[in-house]
Amino acid sequence: MGQLIIDSHTHLWKKQDTWVDGKRILSMKNGRSIFMDEEVQMMPPFMIDEQNSAEVLLSNMNYAQVGAAVVVQEVIDGNQNAYLSEVQQQYPERFFCMGMAWNLEEAKAAHTAGMKGIAFPGHRMKESLLELMPVFKYMEDEHLVLSMCLGEEEKQIGEMKEVIQECPQLKVAIGHFGMVTTPIFKSQVLLARESENVKIESGGITWLFNAEFYPYPSAIRSIKQAADWVGMKKLMWGSDYPRTITAITYRMSYDFITKSAELTDEDKALFLGKNAEHFYGFKNLPKLPYIKNMSE
């Protein structure tokens, strides 16, 4: 294929073992988890040992010719700072790992542990984003990247706009493609106009259009719409691995874009890799050959 591909939204965990809003989340064997007190297929069934490891993701990346991946965090997976610190040290050129922190001291500790950014699941937060302003200021000073998934409230989007204005040098990646299937899609995407340092990444876009399924024609249209609003240079691909690959393969999470006739070759190159390479500062990425499937 010869095209640079970088995944801007993945998850890793040693083990899920936490509570959210009084409900249990716990890894089980065969890719399953107790999620909000219900048993679900959290990962593909071949991931049998309760772990969502960097090595399995790397194997998927190598097969799908994905050069690098950004690892974000979510409260539903529990705090994975210790594990991601190991991953960052072991695979520094393939992963860009985000810490989890809820105050300034935790942010400093995550940075000291080697995290290159902090991920905030804003869609699960009840408090105002403005209460975290000291953390955002620290991140701006230390050149850490902010990954932010926002909820479906215009109020929180307005708070995020204020954060961007107060921290103009802070790099911000808005996740879940601005919750593209909800009424606040445009409001989230337009945050990218507030600063040259704000981008929108598409982690979870195949989940959001899961009812339509592959090859996700509405997802392609939404990418074109967002590009009309803020420009293709503001947009980045993300898979939301591993949860999304219970329905599709890892390669399918981006090849519906490469196969689309509605996007230009330059659009695809920017969206799938070039924008993320510049934004996250990846260097020395491997050239991954295409390995023919036995069934071809």
Side-chain angles (χ1 to χ4, degrees), residues 25-72:
I25 300 171
L26 182 67
S27 297
M28 302 168 64
K29 293 186 181 299
N30 302 318
R32 297 181 181 179
S33 292
I34 300 298
F35 176 68
M36 300 296 190
D37 295 337
E38 177 186 10
E39 184 175 332
V40 301
Q41 194 71 44
M42 181 71 67
M43 304 183 293
F46 54 77
M47 297 169 74
I48 62 174
D49 62 357
E50 303 183 38
Q51 294 187 35
N52 172 27
S53 71
E55 288 72 26
V56 172
L57 175 52
L58 274 172
S59 181
N60 274 282
M61 290 165 61
N62 292 341
Y63 167 72
Q65 298 173 277
V66 175
V70 179
V71 185
V72 302

Side-chain angles (χ1 to χ4, degrees), residues 6-9 70 72 98 145-147 171-178 197-205 223 226 230-239 257 267-282:
I6 294 173
D7 192 339
S8 297
H9 190 119
V70 179
V72 302
M98 299 274 191
V145 176
L146 170 62
S147 169
K171 285 187 173 182
V172 181
I174 304 295
H176 293 166
F177 212 58
N197 293 312
V198 179
K199 295 198 185 300
I200 312 295
E201 49 93 340
S202 74
I205 197 169
I223 292 168
V230 299
M232 190 60 76
K233 289 186 177 181
K234 287 286 192 173
L235 310 179
M236 305 183 295
W237 170 68
S239 70
I257 295 165
D267 287 341
K268 295 172 185 178
L270 290 170
F271 185 73
L272 290 174
K274 285 185 178 179
N275 292 338
E277 180 184 34
H278 179 263
F279 185 74
Y280 294 104
F282 284 110

Side-chain angles (χ1 to χ4, degrees), residues 26-27 65 84 108-109 111 121 131 144 153 169 174 198 200 215 232 244 246 262:
L26 182 67
S27 297
Q65 298 173 277
L84 294 188
K108 290 179 178 180
H111 187 202
E131 295 181 21
L144 299 176
E153 296 181 0
Q169 300 307 311
I174 304 295
V198 179
I200 312 295
M232 190 60 76
T244 49
T246 57
E262 297 187 49

Side-chain angles (χ1 to χ4, degrees), residues 100-166:
M100 181 177 285
W102 297 105
N103 56 52
L104 184 56
E105 291 308 310
E106 290 179 357
K108 290 179 178 180
H111 187 202
T112 299
M115 301 296 99
K116 295 188 171 186
I118 306 290
F120 285 93
H123 58 307
R124 300 190 188 278
M125 292 172 57
K126 297 179 176 62
E127 64 270 25
S128 168
L129 294 181
L130 301 182
E131 295 181 21
L132 294 167
M133 193 65 79
V135 176
F136 301 142
K137 288 284 190 182
Y138 171 77
M139 293 177 66
E140 181 183 33
D141 291 341
E142 297 297 324
H143 309 291
L144 299 176
V145 176
L146 170 62
S147 169
M148 177 63 74
C149 292
L150 295 168
E152 297 179 35
E153 296 181 0
E154 292 287 351
K155 179 177 180 294
Q156 190 178 66
I157 297 169
E159 291 174 351
M160 192 67 237
K161 182 176 180 179
E162 188 171 339
V163 170
I164 293 167
Q165 292 171 344
E166 288 289 318

Side-chain angles (χ1 to χ4, degrees), residues 214-267:
Y214 189 91
Y216 308 107
S218 294
I220 295 293
R221 287 192 290 272
S222 74
I223 292 168
K224 293 184 66 178
Q225 179 64 83
D228 287 343
W229 290 332
V230 299
M232 190 60 76
K233 289 186 177 181
K234 287 286 192 173
L235 310 179
M236 305 183 295
W237 170 68
S239 70
D240 211 0
Y241 172 102
R243 286 179 264 269
T244 49
I245 63 166
T246 57
I248 57 176
T249 67
Y250 186 50
R251 183 183 290 275
M252 289 169 69
S253 67
Y254 75 78
D255 77 353
F256 74 96
I257 295 165
T258 64
K259 293 174 180 176
S260 173
E262 297 187 49
L263 298 170
T264 68
D265 288 345
E266 180 63 15
D267 287 341

